[in-house]
Amino acid sequence: MAGWDVHTHLIPPTVLTAAYRGEYGLSVDSGMLVIDGQRLPLKRLADPAALLQWIAKQELDGAVVSVPPALFRYDAGVEWAELVNQGLRELATPQLRVLGQLPLLDPAAPAVAAALAREGVFSGFALGTPDYAGLDPVWQVLHELEAFTLIHPGHSDDKRLRSFYLSNLLGNPYETGVAAASLVFADVPGRFPGIRFCLCHGGGVTAAVAGRWQRGVETGRPGIEELSMPVIEAVRSFYVDDLVHDEAMLQLLTKTFGAAHVLAGSDWPFPMGSDALASERAVTAGELTAPLAKEVSDR
């Protein structure tokens, strides 16, 4: 089948080099990248050839690559983003499209996004799920770029999720839902409609609670301001990947977001990912993730 896997991960080679040198607070121990207390197995995450084998096995045109969420490190600023982006440039090929790293919470983020877009290398951006307050200057640039913008959950701080692998099984869908809600209630889809947000893992809990969000608007719950569109319209502006491991949930995704907004995503090479992709959902992403090559203001 032809098409693109919109959700795959690699560790950029520049990050690996820094880790082996003990730079940027990184290290390598027993085949694991140690970063901010987290341990990532190198193996396939450090092997672009293995991802190319996945692409061939699935009969895809290619895969869209973002860094594992542990590498977002928004407290590390512009220098860290530059290191990551240089490694992503080195990974980019006709079969591997890369999503740029932004120093999202740094005032330089809009300028970084505008500069990366001019290169013709990056196919958009991958964002974690920190507090999105105050990011209108970033959203403005991404809107002007009509940028494909993957939202990938980061680590949840809820200590109750430490047991039973719930930090991933429940924390990841929750974090994505928080990010989606933050965008919807800040009216980001209405004010910056050019951004093509794509929520990982089927949008997390978003489809299940979108009706509840709309009810909150209708009943004037505290803190909710007037939106430029109904919640369901804002939600339907999002793309999602199809990584939910549940046929009934896939049907809900189609009803909630629309069939054309459900894309194939594997989360390769992580264990919670998919073993195979659905051909009908792999086709759509090719145009969405074409490399950016556009001049915009970074105001």
Side-chain angles (χ1 to χ4, degrees), residues 157-182:
D157 292 329
D158 190 335
K159 295 179 181 179
R160 296 172 299 172
L161 302 181
R162 292 177 179 175
S163 301
F164 312 117
Y165 199 56
L166 292 181
S167 60
N168 185 298
L169 300 181
L170 185 59
N172 278 16
Y174 163 77
E175 285 291 321
T176 303
V178 170
S182 298

Side-chain angles (χ1 to χ4, degrees), residues 50-98:
L51 178 52
L52 292 173
Q53 291 173 3
W54 163 260
I55 290 168
K57 179 181 178 182
Q58 299 296 315
E59 300 180 347
L60 295 168
D61 294 320
V64 182
V65 176
S66 56
V67 299
L71 271 63
F72 288 142
R73 303 185 91 190
Y74 291 131
D75 59 347
V78 174
E79 186 178 0
W80 173 254
E82 290 176 347
L83 177 79
V84 172
N85 286 325
Q86 180 53 39
L88 289 167
R89 292 183 188 97
E90 295 172 15
L91 289 172
T93 70
Q95 286 187 291
L96 298 181
R97 294 178 174 175
V98 295

